[in-house]
Amino acid sequence: MLSLYQSCMLTYTVFLLFVSVVKTTESAPNWNTLNETVGGRLHKAKPFSSPCFPDFDGISVPRNKAACKIIEDNYLNATYRSSQFGNFMNTQWESCMSTSAQCTLDSSDPSDSLAWTELPCDQGSIAPYYIDVQNYKDVQAALAFSRTTGVPLSIKNSGHDFLGRSSIIESLGLWTRNLDQISYNASFVPVGGSQPIPAMTIGAGVPWVDAYSFADANNVTVVGGYSETVGASGGWIMGGGHSVLSPTLGLGVDRVLEFKLVTPDGEYRTANAHTNVDLFWALRGGGGGTFGVVLESTSMVEPREIPLQVASVSFNSTTETGLQFLRLLTNNSLQWAQEGWGGHLTSSGFISVTPLLTLEEAQASMQNAVDFVQTQNGTVVIETLPSWFAFFAKYTIPAQTAVGSADLAASRLIPYSLFETQEGRDSFIQLVTSLPGSFLEIDVVTPFLYNATENSTSVTPAWRNAVWHVLMGSEFVWNSTLAEKVAAFEFTNNCTAGLISIAPNSGAYMNEANVYEPNYEQSFWGGNYDRLLAIKHRYDPLGLLDCWKCVGWKGVDDSRSRCYPRVD
């Protein structure tokens, strides 16, 4: 008998022949008919910053100073950006980088008029039309429209996207941000199952800050991301979904019980451990934007009262003291991992939490870090907070990272084996010193202590033995030339090469990886890629959904990828 992969590949080959016929009969887009089909929820879209410019797509238009002032005031605000369709948190995905078609302001001073007097405003990669998705029938209509017209589809939630997968030039956008329903069921039973479990069902557009507030009000804890505006049921969970609670409570894909989605073949489906089991496995790590449009997910919850020990330390670092602190972090990493600490570390401090220790044990655990920071006249807080939401409200919301700039990331999951030897620990320090122009962020968000069932998810197995998720990289500015943008990507590629050199047998988190990640199939999914591809072909035989370095990606020569600059 043929294997699942072989049979799906055979079916896919037949459908490719069918597609060649379909493409010859594609009809011109009828936007009015589509708008009627989706109940008037089809909208035209322009770039977020367009009111500030005296031109659009080569045509003179009057500047809207009042609207521009609102955009200037909120240009770096993630909450405001997530409420608007025509932007992304990282502004390079609003542009067509390969042609320099863009409409962006200066993130260092959004009111600087040079941005709209030196460069024109173009549509860039912002989808010119989008559907404000309210139900599964809207998605079915969009898929049918794409099949008959050839117009590509893009799926956008909050706009958090390191690789530009929700930004496709000349696409029809599916905006899921207003799927904002949330519910709690103390005895949730997945379709086809029998065992009740406390769980929250969260619409695709619900940001984590709202999910956390709702959970707290219902006396439960839901495990999720650090950024308050990331969508709880979008790419975060389908790509893996890390949290500072993941060391003890697992990744998002470890905790999800059920998805409701429309697959590219137009079917509205439920996927869980009992129904559409192959699709459920693929959605638990295979990534967003390719297996279907998820409308909601349901995940298990924990009791509200999970006392957390919090360690917050910071100091004004120099190059020398920053390296000294990084050495301290590498030397203590294994002990802290065993004690359940999760958090975000830099060369000038960290904020970490653990549910496993008492206050006295936490103070003893962090003594080395406390001693060092105090010698630098820094600040130290070690305290107990009663719940996750109490921690989030006190430490995370005030520390949200500004957005609205063009940041480029390289990342790697750093295995525990690196920290077991002095040579391994030194290799990390040497890497950091060899790339002085890079930013550095160390996320302690891996499921190090979580007892996951082997092969139950499709994320790279590298997550399971990693201690750190490390990010490095570069950036460019609003008026960078194409050559300067390419140089920034090339520097980021150097960061990736360095990270791979110290952890060659590991992998990368697909949601926060290098745009030009080499051998991405192995980095993102390990040995799971072939099975994922077979499932992709089963549910998307026509290849309607495609995105950059997603499962089934059609490559750099596909028209949907033409705005990515060519980088060696």
Side-chain angles (χ1 to χ4, degrees):
M1 293 181 61
L2 295 176
S3 67
L4 172 64
Y5 174 68
Q6 291 171 323
S7 61
C8 285
M9 287 300 293
L10 179 61
T11 302
Y12 182 60
T13 302
V14 174
F15 267 103
L16 285 179
L17 296 175
F18 172 68
V19 170
S20 67
V21 176
V22 170
K23 286 187 174 180
T24 65
T25 60
E26 289 173 352
S27 60
N30 189 324
W31 299 105
N32 290 333
T33 299
L34 176 61
N35 188 40
E36 292 173 3
T37 303
V38 298
R41 290 189 292 277
L42 177 70
H43 304 279
K44 290 185 177 181
K46 286 186 176 181
F48 180 65
S49 302
S50 60
C52 297
F53 286 75
D55 59 90
F56 178 68
D57 275 352
I59 300 173
S60 294
V61 295
R63 292 184 68 241
N64 187 330
K65 294 182 179 180
C68 180
K69 182 63 167 60
I70 295 172
I71 291 165
E72 290 171 356
D73 292 345
N74 291 281
Y75 198 72
L76 309 182
N77 186 307
T79 300
Y80 185 77
R81 276 184 170 266
S82 68
S83 70
Q84 310 292 312
F85 176 79
N87 72 86
F88 292 89
M89 301 299 172
N90 292 327
T91 55
Q92 66 267 35
W93 306 122
E94 300 171 15
S95 73
C96 185
M97 287 181 284
S98 63
T99 64
S100 297
Q102 64 181 54
C103 189
T104 53
L105 303 183
D106 180 356
S107 61
S108 67
D109 180 9
S111 64
D112 186 351
S113 62
L114 284 177
W116 58 80
T117 57
E118 284 199 357
L119 293 175
C121 175
D122 295 302
Q123 187 74 28
S125 285
I126 298 296
Y129 290 91
Y130 71 94
I131 297 172
D132 182 1
V133 175
Q134 298 293 318
N135 54 60
Y136 73 89
K137 292 183 179 179
D138 291 343
V139 180
Q140 290 175 325
L143 289 164
F145 180 83
S146 181
R147 276 194 296 272
T148 58
T149 64
V151 174
L153 299 175
S154 56
I155 307 165
K156 180 177 185 285
N157 188 336
S158 63
H160 288 271
D161 188 348
F162 275 81
L163 280 80
R165 290 165 168 159
S166 51
S167 167
I168 297 177
I169 189 171
E170 296 178 355
S171 63
L172 167 61
L174 298 178
W175 194 33
T176 62
R177 191 57 169 174
N178 292 317
L179 293 170
D180 56 2
Q181 68 279 4
I182 318 177
S183 63
Y184 167 63
N185 187 339
S187 302
F188 176 80
V189 178
V191 173
S194 59
Q195 185 66 37
I197 187 170
M200 274 176 54
T201 298
I202 306 173
V206 175
W208 276 120
V209 65
D210 290 353
Y212 293 148
S213 177
F214 179 89
D216 193 71
N218 284 273
N219 294 313
V220 295
T221 298
V222 62
V223 175
Y226 209 68
S227 173
E228 59 182 296
T229 53
V230 166
S233 295
W236 178 88
I237 197 166
M238 287 179 276
H242 67 59
S243 165
V244 296
L245 296 178
S246 290
T248 54
L249 296 178
L251 298 170
V253 291
D254 295 320
R255 304 186 60 81
V256 65
L257 301 171
E258 187 169 276
F259 292 98
K260 295 289 182 69
L261 74 157
V262 180
T263 46
D265 56 9
E267 294 296 321
Y268 178 49
R269 301 181 188 271
T270 296
N272 58 39
H274 314 280
T275 305
N276 294 311
V277 177
D278 60 341
L279 182 60
F280 184 54
W281 179 83
L283 291 168
R284 297 172 75 190
T290 187
F291 292 101
V293 181
V294 169
L295 305 176
E296 66 179 40
S297 69
T298 301
S299 294
M300 68 178 81
V301 295
E302 304 292 332
R304 178 186 181 276
E305 300 301 327
I306 302 178
L308 295 175
Q309 309 308 324
V310 182
S312 174
V313 303
S314 63
F315 67 101
N316 294 322
S317 65
T318 64
T319 300
E320 180 181 356
T321 58
L323 283 175
Q324 291 173 358
F325 191 64
L326 286 177
R327 289 192 180 93
L328 185 151
L329 297 181
T330 59
N331 289 336
N332 286 272
S333 60
L334 285 183
Q335 174 198 324
W336 290 341
Q338 293 290 350
E339 294 169 339
W341 289 102
H344 297 273
L345 322 179
T346 71
S347 60
S348 60
F350 59 74
I351 300 174
S352 295
V353 300
T354 178
L356 300 185
L357 304 181
T358 65
L359 178 60
E360 293 75 18
E361 290 169 339
Q363 291 168 335
S365 171
M366 288 292 165
Q367 194 61 55
N368 290 341
V370 169
D371 291 344
F372 181 90
V373 170
Q374 289 180 335
T375 66
Q376 305 302 312
N377 296 315
T379 61
V380 173
V381 176
I382 299 180
E383 63 175 334
T384 304
L385 291 179
S387 67
W388 165 253
F389 191 65
F391 165 78
F392 190 81
K394 181 173 182 178
Y395 285 97
T396 304
I397 292 177
Q400 288 297 302
T401 302
V403 296
S405 56
D407 300 316
L408 313 178
S411 71
R412 198 72 173 168
L413 296 166
I414 307 301
Y416 72 89
S417 57
L418 179 137
F419 301 98
E420 290 183 312
T421 66
Q422 189 63 51
E423 179 183 6
R425 296 191 294 271
D426 288 345
S427 70
F428 177 77
I429 301 299
Q430 291 163 4
L431 171 63
V432 173
T433 57
S434 71
L435 295 164
S438 172
F439 71 84
L440 174 67
E441 179 182 325
I442 301 168
D443 295 343
V444 187
V445 292
T446 64
F448 187 71
L449 298 179
Y450 185 77
N451 185 24
T453 301
E454 188 174 0
N455 299 322
S456 60
T457 72
S458 51
V459 294
T460 171
W463 274 108
R464 305 302 175 183
N465 61 9
V467 174
W468 285 356
H469 164 50
V470 172
L471 295 96
M472 305 180 75
S474 185
E475 65 177 351
F476 54 81
V477 295
W478 66 276
N479 59 350
S480 292
T481 65
L482 177 58
E484 290 168 337
K485 294 172 185 176
V486 169
F489 278 114
E490 289 174 340
F491 177 82
T492 304
N493 288 349
N494 292 337
C495 294
T496 295
L499 288 165
I500 291 174
S501 73
I502 65 171
N505 299 316
S506 188
Y509 179 33
M510 63 168 297
N511 282 345
E512 298 174 2
N514 185 354
V515 171
Y516 299 99
E517 181 75 28
N519 194 16
Y520 71 95
E521 300 97 330
Q522 178 66 31
S523 288
F524 298 162
W525 298 289
N528 294 324
Y529 186 77
D530 284 349
R531 183 181 172 192
L532 284 166
L533 185 60
I535 296 168
K536 163 71 172 175
H537 291 162
R538 176 179 178 183
Y539 291 96
D540 189 10
L542 300 180
L544 286 182
L545 295 183
D546 189 48
C547 52
W548 183 268
K549 296 197 173 181
C550 295
V551 172
W553 179 48
K554 297 177 182 177
V556 296
D557 294 326
D558 185 83
S559 63
R560 282 170 280 202
S561 298
R562 67 183 184 270
C563 286
Y564 290 79
R566 296 300 176 96
V567 177
D568 295 330

